[in-house]
Amino acid sequence: MLREPGLGAPFRRSLSLMSMGLLGVLLSPAPAGPWGVNLQIVPRDGVEVPQGAPFRFDVKAFNDGPEEVDIEVRLTLRSPRPRDPVVEFRHWDITVPPGGAAKAAVSVTPAQWFAARGRFRVGATMVGEEAGPTLEFDVLDSPVVVPKFQDVTAESGLETTLGKAGCAQFSAGAAWGDIEGDGDLDLYMPLQDEAARLWVNDGAGHFDNQSGLRGADNDGATGMAAVFADYDNDGDQDLYVINDGPNRLYRNSGSGAFVDVALQAGVADDAAGSSASWGDYDNDGYLDLYVTNYKDCSIREGEADRLYHNEGDGTFADRTLLLGPPEATAGAGFQAAWFDYDGDGDQDLYLANDYLTLVSEPNRLWRNDGPGPLGGWQFVDVSKESGAGWAMNAMGIGIGDHDGDLDLDFAVSNIAGNVLARNDGDGTFTDVAAAAGVQRPTQVAGVNAVTWGLAFWDFNLDTREDLFVAAGSLGGAPSQPDELFVNTGGGRFLDLSAPSGTADPQTGRGVAFADYDRDGRVDLYVVNQFGRPVLYRNVTSTGSHWLEVRTVGTASNRDGCGARLILTIGQARMLRQVFCGSTSLGSGSDPTVHFGLGSADSLEELEIVWPSGLRQVLPRVAVDRLVTVVEPS
């Protein structure tokens, strides 16, 4: 690290800079600086990259002098637009021996920060001053359709702000649900310092807050998260609200009015909650509930989570011990997800834990092994043997078949780099985030990325699931723009965050996903703590086709949570699962399954494997519409 005079070791060295021209011809070496040091920036794969791809180059430092040199090089990126800020994206701290050299392999993805295409420039500075000529390279059109989003928060009637959160109150989410059964998605958002919002959709793109009128204002509680689900199978959407304190279960009367029945139902968990997930782990036709708790700042330990079994009579029984001793769920948990990772027809459970100094519990994966020999239920902790028990600052979970091999992969948000867990098909997972292009460990030089809610959806309707990741610092600064990675196939993604219009630098937390206007394009509601939540309407211009499927269970749970859908177009097959609160962070996305179909205007068949085990095949389903599929009795 370079140190200035009077701050330790003496300031001893300087630096000059060389670069390569656009044709890749190395310039003649510039005269060495006063201490015999010069620098070269050399492209690795030419000087053109498609938008969203990283530009790769080498930085080489040469020391022609007789003494060892300590230097810090600060690499910067300039966009073609003069008004855009200069981004300092990498610090390189090196020691160069006398007469020797040092080299670093570097990459930079302009679309992380800039929507522009054209000629960009990489430069270097030392002690705040430019250190020579720059290396220019061209950003070309993206090879994929770039998803485009517009902020429609104000015109939709959803304007609100979130105040400061208390100690350890990092979760903040929202939930989509059709509370009246009128086909229009409504939006619920708990707040930490005032009454919750229940925005009712008028069907014309506008929402009206009716939380008090509907009996769901959370009555002064410190709200953290929420998710809708029909837990009593009566055909309407009920609502579970997670608080820092007693949680609430709002039963829907059938007309969109709610009554809190948490105490009677046995799910008024009184802890520092962060999220909840619905899933029928024993396939008895009733949704069970996993409540993830974080930690109380007054104690050193994390708070144990709760696994509640739905008894089918409006009550729940605590079955947390099925997952092992109390410490098995006592980490600082953020999000849990029900998904069938091994394809055996039952819901397995993954838990994302924040790995803290005082609460050091890694992530956990429980394999659901079904009924036990004595009539109980068997969950087996396979965290280590599966390779999925990472010790990390895990916050949110996204699940999808990102590589199209018909098994479910998942992503986990983190500090200093997302994880992308590829399902290897043999019960194990491999982190491929760096190779896939979705890791993004830093936001700018010296600032680790801090990411939260995330999920896979096909935002540009090209048949491949993309990944949106909310980002936000712990206290509101420095800025942490949200991330959008577009799937190019073959397990690779392009970072098209800025061109998409979603690279908001606020403090993102939970994200609730839904096609709220039913135009076939998935929209986003991003909950920004310490600021303004945003409704992003997907306005991607594409001639591609789509299909949305709403599942209605009969023998299975009414929402069809956990159902697996496989759609066939020609030789291509796509896998999706119905999720009920298991993805993102503290948020309930619309459980409607969404398929982008690309240019295909017809499909061969849609196969649904229901939680009951029933396999249903629908041939030649019409496209460009929402279809409701009822499980055959």
Side-chain angles (χ1 to χ4, degrees):
M1 173 71 73
L2 187 82
R3 287 168 286 192
E4 297 187 21
L7 297 178
F11 178 78
R12 299 183 295 127
R13 301 291 177 256
S14 184
L15 156 81
S16 64
L17 179 67
M18 297 168 50
S19 71
M20 289 193 68
L22 284 176
L23 298 179
V25 179
L26 184 65
L27 299 176
S28 299
W35 292 279
V37 178
N38 59 59
L39 195 77
Q40 295 176 353
I41 304 179
V42 184
R44 301 183 69 187
D45 304 304
V47 289
E48 294 180 342
V49 293
Q51 189 177 42
F55 173 62
R56 307 180 193 277
F57 58 95
D58 293 327
V59 184
K60 302 178 181 180
F62 301 90
N63 178 10
D64 296 329
E67 299 182 50
E68 184 177 272
V69 178
D70 297 328
I71 60 173
E72 180 192 46
V73 178
R74 296 179 175 238
L75 297 172
T76 59
L77 179 69
R78 294 178 184 270
S79 108
R81 298 174 179 171
R83 293 186 179 182
D84 284 346
V86 177
V87 171
E88 191 172 279
F89 65 90
R90 174 75 182 269
H91 295 171
W92 186 35
D93 300 317
I94 55 171
T95 298
V96 190
K103 175 182 174 180
V106 182
S107 67
V108 61
T109 304
Q112 177 178 337
W113 305 282
F114 302 113
R117 297 182 298 277
R119 184 153 297 179
F120 284 77
R121 290 182 292 161
V122 172
T125 64
M126 186 184 68
V127 197
E129 296 183 2
E130 291 191 6
T134 59
L135 168 62
E136 296 184 338
F137 66 98
D138 289 324
V139 172
L140 310 179
D141 290 345
S142 173
V144 298
V145 174
V146 180
K148 298 287 186 180
F149 293 85
Q150 286 183 354
D151 180 348
V152 295
T153 314
E155 53 263 50
S156 299
L158 298 177
E159 282 285 7
T160 190
T161 57
L162 274 69
K164 291 184 177 181
C167 180
Q169 294 174 351
F170 297 119
S171 183
W176 293 100
D178 181 2
I179 67 169
E180 299 171 304
D182 60 0
D184 299 321
L185 288 174
D186 311 299
L187 182 63
Y188 185 87
M189 188 174 70
L191 294 171
Q192 297 174 356
D193 54 356
E194 56 183 294
R197 305 285 193 267
L198 175 54
W199 286 294
V200 177
N201 189 338
D202 68 358
H206 190 271
F207 296 80
D208 179 41
N209 177 30
Q210 299 180 14
S211 62
L213 178 65
R214 303 281 181 165
D217 63 4
N218 210 18
D219 196 22
T222 303
M224 307 300 297
V227 60
F228 285 96
D230 185 1
Y231 80 93
D232 52 4
N233 287 343
D234 65 352
D236 51 44
Q237 291 292 288
D238 310 298
L239 174 66
Y240 193 72
V241 180
I242 300 90
N243 294 315
D244 188 355
N247 297 338
R248 300 186 189 280
L249 176 60
Y250 286 111
R251 181 175 55 80
N252 192 329
S253 66
S255 61
F258 293 91
V259 176
D260 181 12
V261 297
L263 282 173
Q264 303 94 300
V267 292
D269 189 41
D270 187 4
S274 54
S275 66
S277 303
W278 296 97
D280 183 4
Y281 73 77
D282 56 357
N283 290 337
D284 65 353
Y286 290 93
L287 285 174
D288 309 305
L289 177 66
Y290 190 92
V291 177
T292 309
N293 294 316
Y294 190 66
K295 69 179 293 291
D296 187 330
C297 282
S298 64
I299 59 176
R300 295 168 66 92
E301 297 82 15
E303 297 200 67
D305 301 341
R306 293 287 182 266
L307 173 60
Y308 293 108
H309 179 262
N310 190 332
E311 299 292 284
D313 59 0
T315 67
F316 292 77
D318 189 335
R319 294 289 184 263
T320 312
L321 289 178
L322 290 176
L323 302 175
E327 58 267 24
T329 68
F334 267 118
Q335 180 69 46
W338 295 105
F339 75 116
D340 184 6
Y341 81 89
D342 52 5
D344 65 352
D346 50 36
Q347 297 297 291
D348 310 297
L349 181 65
Y350 190 73
L351 174 62
N353 282 322
D354 191 1
Y355 198 82
L356 305 173
T357 303
L358 299 178
V359 188
S360 301
E361 291 292 334
N363 296 349
R364 292 187 183 271
L365 175 62
W366 287 278
R367 188 183 67 222
N368 188 338
D369 279 359
L374 300 178
W377 208 262
Q378 297 183 111
F379 285 94
V380 179
D381 187 338
V382 294
S383 307
K384 291 183 179 179
E385 51 264 51
S386 69
W390 290 285
M392 57 188 288
N393 298 112
M395 285 80 154
I397 303 172
I399 304 169
D401 180 17
H402 86 277
D403 51 4
D405 62 356
L406 300 184
D407 53 31
L408 291 173
D409 317 296
F410 65 93
V412 187
S413 53
N414 188 28
I415 295 177
N418 303 312
V419 164
L420 177 56
R422 185 191 64 210
N423 191 330
D424 295 325
D426 58 1
T428 67
F429 292 86
T430 302
D431 180 11
V432 296
V438 301
Q439 185 181 44
R440 199 200 281 188
T442 61
Q443 293 286 19
V444 291
V447 178
N448 287 333
V450 184
T451 53
W452 303 85
L454 72 171
F456 290 96
W457 295 84
D458 184 358
F459 297 116
N460 60 4
L461 306 182
D462 66 355
T463 76
R464 299 181 291 265
E465 289 186 288
D466 312 307
L467 179 64
F468 181 85
V469 186
S473 65
L474 299 179
S479 64
Q480 294 270 341
D482 297 332
E483 307 169 0
L484 193 147
F485 303 100
V486 177
N487 195 333
T488 64
R492 302 298 298 271
F493 292 78
L494 295 177
D495 186 339
L496 291 167
S497 305
S500 74
T502 62
D504 188 346
Q506 294 192 80
T507 50
R509 293 292 190 262
V511 188
F513 299 81
D515 177 12
Y516 80 92
D517 52 2
R518 293 299 181 210
D519 65 355
R521 296 171 290 191
V522 176
D523 312 299
L524 322 171
Y525 186 73
V526 182
V527 181
N528 292 308
Q529 213 168 41
F530 320 111
R532 172 182 176 266
V534 177
L535 175 62
Y536 288 107
R537 182 169 180 259
N538 189 334
V539 295
T540 308
S541 178
T542 173
S544 296
H545 299 282
W546 55 275
L547 176 69
E548 293 177 349
V549 184
R550 178 187 295 129
T551 54
V552 178
T554 54
S556 303
N557 66 84
R558 178 68 182 232
D559 291 331
C561 305
R564 291 166 64 93
L565 285 73
I566 298 177
L567 185 146
T568 302
I569 304 175
Q571 300 301 312
R573 304 177 78 199
M574 290 178 276
L575 169 67
R576 305 287 189 267
Q577 180 178 308
V578 179
F579 296 110
C580 299
S582 289
T583 63
S584 190
L585 168 64
S587 297
S589 297
D590 181 15
T592 299
V593 170
H594 176 271
F595 292 96
L597 305 179
S599 60
D601 58 4
S602 64
L603 54 92
E604 273 63 42
E605 68 175 30
L606 173 65
E607 175 186 346
I608 302 177
V609 181
W610 294 89
S612 65
L614 179 70
R615 178 177 176 268
Q616 181 179 9
V617 177
L618 294 85
R620 305 186 184 283
V621 178
V623 304
D624 296 334
R625 67 194 62 200
L626 167 66
V627 298
T628 298
V629 180
V630 179
E631 179 182 17
S633 59

